[in-house]
Amino acid sequence: MPVVLPSRSTPIRTYSAIALFLVVYVGVLFVIFAPRDMIAVESGVAFYGAED
């Protein structure tokens, strides 16, 4: 009589790992393809030059 293994349900950890991978992947693509104006950071140097 052959032994039949029970069907393995997909655990939530698998789905969370896939979701984390997709979020990181989309984030990296966003950083690579985003326009420079969208992710540019202005330094505080402009504030030091202004006199009150």
Side-chain angles (χ1 to χ4, degrees), residues 34-50:
R36 288 183 184 256
D37 297 338
M38 187 178 289
I39 58 174
V41 177
E42 293 184 21
S43 64
V45 176
F47 297 114
Y48 294 124

Side-chain angles (χ1 to χ4, degrees), residues 10-26:
T10 308
I12 192 69
R13 290 177 58 187
T14 303
Y15 290 133
S16 61
I18 292 171
L20 178 64
F21 172 78
L22 290 176
V23 167
V24 171
Y25 188 76
V26 169

